[in-house]
Amino acid sequence: MTPEPKKLNSPTKRNLPSDNNQSGEGQNRPRPLDSNDFSQKSEDIVTTIVKRINSFNTGLKEYQIRDLVNETEKLGKKLFDKKLKTAQIRKFLDAINQLNAQLKREKDFEKIKPGIELLRPQLAYAEGRQQSLKEEQQNVKYLRSVMEAAIKKIEDSEDFTRLVQLIESIIAYHKAAGGKE
């Protein structure tokens, strides 16, 4: 009788003991997520980005630049395809720029924390203005989903810097896809 081959753990299974560790010791420690955990072929890019952001334990700074750039390129194109205009989120973008300038000027993250939380209602307002439109014309909701998840992960100035990089990257790729003001 031939022994059964060992089964390999799937890269998406977490908190399972390895084949070499049958006792289950250490199974409460999740392994870090990597790009393979977020298959963009099988799900929408918004869902992919939100899942990645929600998986971070120590804040938005965990968002690797390579992943951020690759994913925001797809999101920027999606927002263009959904006919998002930068003017629809202008107040939100202006608020981020003002907070960024304040942080650079005062170098005190605690002073901008309330302003960061107030970004969320600005996105809600921008999305709410589209409620009377047909479903296929409601395009701010995609950006809001991603940015809300990101804002909730901001704990320090490093996280805020990553938020700025995230929105700048989204807007750059939206523009590159043909997006207008």
Side-chain angles (χ1 to χ4, degrees):
M1 200 171 185
T2 43
E4 280 188 42
K6 285 186 177 183
K7 292 181 182 177
L8 298 176
N9 284 340
S10 152
T12 57
K13 290 182 182 174
R14 301 175 73 196
N15 298 332
L16 296 177
S18 70
D19 289 334
N20 298 333
N21 184 1
Q22 295 299 324
S23 69
E25 194 175 317
Q27 72 187 67
N28 290 332
R29 286 184 293 154
R31 66 168 181 73
L33 298 172
D34 61 33
S35 296
N36 295 329
D37 291 331
F38 300 95
S39 173
Q40 293 152 358
K41 294 174 184 150
S42 64
E43 67 185 11
D44 177 69
I45 189 61
V46 173
T47 304
T48 299
I49 294 172
V50 170
K51 278 184 179 180
R52 180 184 299 279
I53 290 170
N54 288 338
S55 77
F56 300 151
N57 295 318
T58 61
L60 195 59
K61 62 185 150 279
E62 288 183 51
Y63 209 153
Q64 297 297 309
I65 292 296
R66 176 173 288 165
D67 294 329
L68 182 146
V69 169
N70 290 335
E71 292 169 357
T72 57
E73 181 177 14
K74 293 173 185 160
L75 180 59
K77 175 145 180 28
K78 178 181 180 117
L79 293 173
F80 169 73
D81 292 344
K82 295 290 183 180
K83 300 186 179 11
L84 177 78
K85 292 186 175 38
T86 309
Q88 293 171 288
I89 54 166
R90 174 61 51 209
K91 284 186 180 182
F92 174 74
L93 297 173
D94 289 346
I96 285 183
N97 288 332
Q98 287 173 355
L99 290 169
N100 197 27
Q102 182 181 351
L103 181 60
K104 286 179 180 176
R105 190 175 53 251
E106 297 178 18
K107 301 193 183 333
D108 185 0
F109 176 75
E110 293 301 315
K111 287 186 178 178
I112 68 164
K113 270 179 108 168
I116 293 169
E117 284 301 316
L118 289 171
L119 293 171
R120 292 174 57 209
Q122 288 181 344
L123 282 168
Y125 177 77
E127 183 181 3
R129 290 183 49 135
Q130 294 188 334
Q131 292 301 316
S132 62
L133 300 176
K134 294 177 186 172
E135 177 69 25
E136 63 272 5
Q137 294 174 311
Q138 295 178 13
N139 48 30
V140 174
K141 65 184 175 185
Y142 304 109
L143 182 66
R144 180 182 177 194
S145 295
V146 170
M147 296 312 295
E148 283 237 353
I151 290 166
K152 289 177 182 177
K153 291 292 183 175
I154 296 177
E155 298 296 330
D156 56 31
S157 62
E158 211 177 330
D159 291 330
F160 180 71
T161 298
R162 190 69 82 218
L163 177 75
V164 172
Q165 293 166 337
L166 178 67
I167 191 64
E168 286 175 347
S169 185
I170 292 168
I171 298 304
Y173 280 118
H174 173 261
K175 184 89 171 159
K180 296 185 168 109
E181 285 296 313

